[in-house]
């Protein structure tokens, strides 16, 4: 299935283009500084948000969507019925697409940690998912990990999904400006380039239009609040719906 046309039309020469990119960058700098001492994003911390087992499984005829990411997917700081996967499921159903969105978000996960648990997660589903939405790499950036390693891990995740004949969508992240131009030039193109290589749908920046509005963010300025999640879902759901329909 060719879904390269689903790439959100704000990509230019391999980089996300935003009217307020400098503002995003400045806020991401703040986020990075906060994340350096944030318990929510520290591996092994007792408070880290792990998506609980789903209360229900898919019903006959449901599309299965695997939301595979970090705390932005897990629903850190909000109720599970306010999380991105839960709200995405509701949005798809409102569009007439019966769906079961499995929350496989784990707070603090890097792309490497995600890769390590991918096979286990896929094998734990009742059947092969119709779509996997991947949202990893943000913690890699916040911790200053080598973008080449992030790319390699995401490439391996997409390769595994391709081998299993599972369609995929990426939700991307952008580098904080204090990481330097060289880091940004290595990190920012990862998502659009991999999307093109694997013919995957792409939403370039998960927090687009949210991270710049404190009314849409939790006090930690790292995670969206329920209103922010609603705004994200409003933008992401049409891309997911198109991927499922094609």
């Amino acid at each position: 299935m060719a879904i390269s046309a689903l790439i959100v039309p704000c990509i230019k020469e391999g980089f996300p283009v935003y009217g307020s990119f400098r503002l995003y960058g400045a806020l991401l700098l703040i986020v990075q500084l906060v994340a350096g001492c944030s318990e929510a994003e520290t591996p092994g911390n007792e408070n880290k948000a792990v998506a609980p087992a789903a209360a229900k499984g898919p019903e006959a005829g449901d599309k299965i969507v695997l939301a595979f990411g970090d705390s932005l997917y897990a629903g850190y700081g909000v109720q599970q019925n306010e999380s991105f996967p839960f709200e995405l499921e509701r949005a798809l159903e409102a569009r007439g697409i019966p769906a079961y969105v499995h929350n496989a978000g784990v707070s603090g996960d890097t792309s490497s940690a995600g890769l390590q648990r991918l096979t286990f997660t896929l094998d734990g589903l009742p059947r092969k998912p119709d779509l996997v939405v991947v949202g990893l790499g943000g913690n890699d950036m916040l911790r200053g990990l080598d973008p080449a390693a992030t790319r390699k891990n995401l490439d391996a995740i997409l390769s595994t999904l391709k081998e299993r004949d599972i369609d995929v969508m990426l939700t991307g992240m952008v580098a904080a400006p204090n990481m330097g131009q060289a880091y940004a030039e290595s990190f920012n193109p990862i998502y659009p380039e991999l999307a093109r290589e694997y013919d995957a749908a792409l939403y370039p920046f998960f927090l687009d239009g949210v991270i710049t509005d404190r009314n849409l963010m939790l006090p930690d300025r790292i995670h969206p609040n329920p209103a922010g999640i609603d705004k994200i879902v409003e933008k992401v759901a049409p891309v997911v719906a198109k991927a499922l329909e094609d």
Side-chain angles (χ1 to χ4, degrees):
M1 176 181 68
I3 54 178
S4 57
L6 298 181
I7 295 178
V8 177
C10 55
I11 300 295
K12 182 179 181 182
E13 298 180 354
F15 290 86
V17 177
Y18 308 99
S20 54
F21 180 79
R22 291 182 179 178
L23 181 55
Y24 289 137
L27 288 172
L28 281 171
L29 171 57
I30 296 172
V31 167
Q32 185 180 33
L33 294 174
V34 173
C37 58
S38 170
E39 293 184 349
E41 296 296 324
T42 302
N45 187 276
E46 293 179 356
N47 294 325
K48 83 177 189 176
V50 180
K56 69 177 184 66
E59 299 179 357
D62 280 355
K63 296 284 190 179
I64 295 182
V65 178
L66 176 65
F68 190 75
D70 51 33
S71 59
L72 294 175
Y73 282 19
Y76 181 84
V78 301
Q79 298 297 317
Q80 283 303 304
N81 63 359
E82 298 171 326
S83 67
F84 168 71
F86 186 92
E87 295 293 351
L88 177 61
E89 180 174 304
R90 291 181 58 187
L92 292 173
E93 291 176 348
R95 289 174 167 269
I97 303 175
Y100 164 72
V101 181
H102 183 83
N103 190 339
V106 177
S107 180
D109 253 15
T110 60
S111 59
S112 175
L115 175 60
Q116 292 174 17
R117 66 182 173 92
L118 177 62
T119 298
F120 175 82
T121 302
L122 291 171
D123 291 345
L125 294 174
R127 61 175 171 82
K128 184 175 76 172
D130 296 280
L131 180 71
V132 176
V133 183
V134 179
L136 292 165
N139 285 318
D140 299 47
M141 184 275 296
L142 292 175
R143 297 170 187 173
L145 302 183
D146 185 358
T150 301
R151 180 187 292 269
K152 181 178 179 180
N153 293 329
L154 290 174
D155 184 271
I157 289 172
L158 297 180
S159 178
T160 298
L161 295 172
K162 182 178 181 179
E163 290 172 1
R164 293 190 177 217
D165 193 27
I166 300 172
D167 291 324
V168 64
M169 171 180 165
L170 286 169
T171 61
M173 187 57 60
V174 296
N178 71 310
M179 299 303 299
Q181 182 178 351
Y183 189 94
E185 289 177 350
S186 295
F187 184 87
N188 291 353
I190 291 174
Y191 301 93
E193 289 180 359
L194 287 178
R196 284 193 291 268
E197 180 178 346
Y198 285 92
D199 198 22
L202 172 68
Y203 187 79
F205 183 35
F206 187 76
L207 294 172
D208 181 31
V210 173
I211 196 171
T212 54
D213 187 343
R214 66 175 60 248
N215 294 320
L216 299 177
M217 299 294 288
L218 293 175
D220 65 7
R221 302 305 298 276
I222 297 173
H223 304 93
N225 61 26
I229 291 172
D230 286 344
K231 187 174 182 67
I232 291 168
V233 170
E234 181 181 340
K235 294 183 176 184
V236 173
V239 188
V240 175
K242 187 68 167 60
L244 289 171
E245 291 169 354
D246 284 3

